[in-house]
Amino acid sequence: IAHEIGVSHRPTIRSYEVSESDRLLLLASDGIWDMLENSEAVDIAARASADCTCDPLHACEQLCETARRAWEFKEARIDDISAVMAFLPPPVPAS
């Protein structure tokens, strides 16, 4: 039955080269991305990091809670919601 509703054991894999302007790495399940745009997720992470001195756990909790509320508002069910985040250090200036 899981296959009939779109569950697959094959992950979506993308490569991305981290640049000096990147400040966070966010890995999340489709339960996040089905409800939030990329920009919304980054905004939530940025606000949470400002509130709690760059605590990725706090940022993930805020992100997952926002996605859960969106699911409750828009659907009769809630998809899996999980996220892992790391804040990246700013580049070190050349001496």
Side-chain angles (χ1 to χ4, degrees):
I1 190 166
H3 180 68
E4 293 173 11
I5 60 170
V7 176
S8 172
H9 66 283
R10 294 189 181 114
T12 301
I13 299 173
R14 294 193 178 126
S15 295
Y16 176 81
E17 189 170 327
V18 177
S19 72
E20 288 187 3
S21 63
D22 292 328
R23 289 294 166 259
L24 66 92
L25 173 65
L26 173 60
L27 307 174
S29 66
D30 64 336
I32 300 273
W33 303 123
D34 287 349
M35 289 294 129
L36 303 176
E37 297 293 327
N38 293 353
S39 59
E40 290 176 280
V42 170
D43 288 346
I44 291 165
R47 282 193 309 272
S49 70
D51 293 347
C52 290
T53 63
C54 292
D55 179 2
L57 177 59
H58 178 71
C60 284
E61 288 170 344
Q62 295 297 310
L63 186 66
C64 291
E65 178 63 21
T66 302
R68 184 188 61 77
R69 285 194 310 267
W71 275 102
E72 289 174 340
F73 181 74
K74 295 178 182 178
E75 299 286 337
R77 66 176 182 87
I78 298 175
D79 199 359
D80 65 304
I81 298 171
S82 19
V84 176
M85 186 179 307
F87 290 104
L88 304 175
V92 177
S95 23

